Amino acid sequence: NGRHWPACLRAAEEVKCAGGLVSFDGGANRYEAKFDELFPLIDILIVARDFAERSTGSDNRAEQLAHLSREGATIVGITDGEKGSWFRTKSGDSFHQEAFPVDPLIDTTGCGDVFHGAFLYGKGEGKDWEECAQIASAAAALNAQALGGRGNLPTRRDLASLLGRNL
């Protein structure tokens, strides 16, 4: 996520040299120009709407995705709360993932972190990018049903129930 900058950059370099995948979580109000140095090392780049706007200087979603994809990430995503998330693959394919409405909606603290973790969980399970985004969106929505950043971390069963299918 860019915190502890020297360690973050070094870790990304080490992971790339070892043949691993590097994921980056660009949170709202967190963009700094130094992150541009990290982008060529990133395979999975998912940022908040605010991060995308600040890093690209544009409020156009297609322009943001194209700009963020320029360094060659395998997948680029932009999250925007209840409006859902937008993705673009390295091959140029794009898709939108709707947000899952939940009731009650109590607290969105930590939903971005849950989204990222669940997206990577999906990747680790061999899911395609669209299913990774569905799992991530569902997990973030379920987490928002309780107070605190880890107020309602969902289980596989919880996710399967909301998605209406086995995981």
Side-chain angles (χ1 to χ4, degrees):
N1 65 12
R3 293 188 175 131
H4 313 289
W5 180 244
C8 175
L9 188 57
R10 176 73 188 272
E13 291 168 344
E14 292 289 328
V15 168
K16 284 305 269 194
C17 285
L21 295 177
V22 176
S23 175
F24 182 76
D25 173 357
N29 302 310
R30 301 254 339 278
Y31 175 74
E32 295 181 45
K34 69 183 178 186
F35 295 143
D36 293 345
E37 182 181 355
L38 184 62
F39 289 162
L41 301 171
I42 298 171
D43 300 291
I44 301 170
L45 175 61
I46 303 175
V47 302
R49 176 193 45 81
D50 174 79
F51 189 103
E53 289 174 355
R54 290 176 187 228
S55 67
T56 66
S58 172
D59 62 1
N60 178 284
R61 193 74 67 226
E63 289 176 8
Q64 292 168 348
L65 287 168
H67 181 85
L68 292 168
S69 296
R70 75 191 188 284
E71 297 292 345
T74 304
I75 183 100
V76 171
I78 300 170
T79 61
D80 193 7
E82 66 185 15
K83 294 178 184 173
S85 50
W86 291 260
F87 292 88
R88 178 179 166 152
T89 66
K90 191 172 191 169
S91 64
D93 296 327
S94 297
F95 65 93
H96 176 248
Q97 172 58 52
E98 296 283 336
F100 284 86
V102 291
D103 186 31
L105 176 63
I106 295 178
D107 185 5
T108 61
T109 302
C111 286
D113 292 330
V114 171
F115 185 99
H116 285 265
F119 192 92
L120 295 174
Y121 161 78
K123 177 62 179 161
E125 291 291 303
K127 307 297 186 190
D128 66 31
W129 294 126
E130 290 191 43
E131 193 165 3
C132 290
Q134 290 169 353
I135 291 167
S137 184
L142 290 168
N143 190 64
Q145 290 191 290
L147 190 60
R150 294 175 296 209
N152 193 38
L153 292 175
T155 64
R156 285 178 65 134
R157 177 177 282 158
D158 297 333
L159 291 169
S161 178
L162 182 58
L163 293 169
R165 66 176 186 277
N166 289 328
L167 294 180

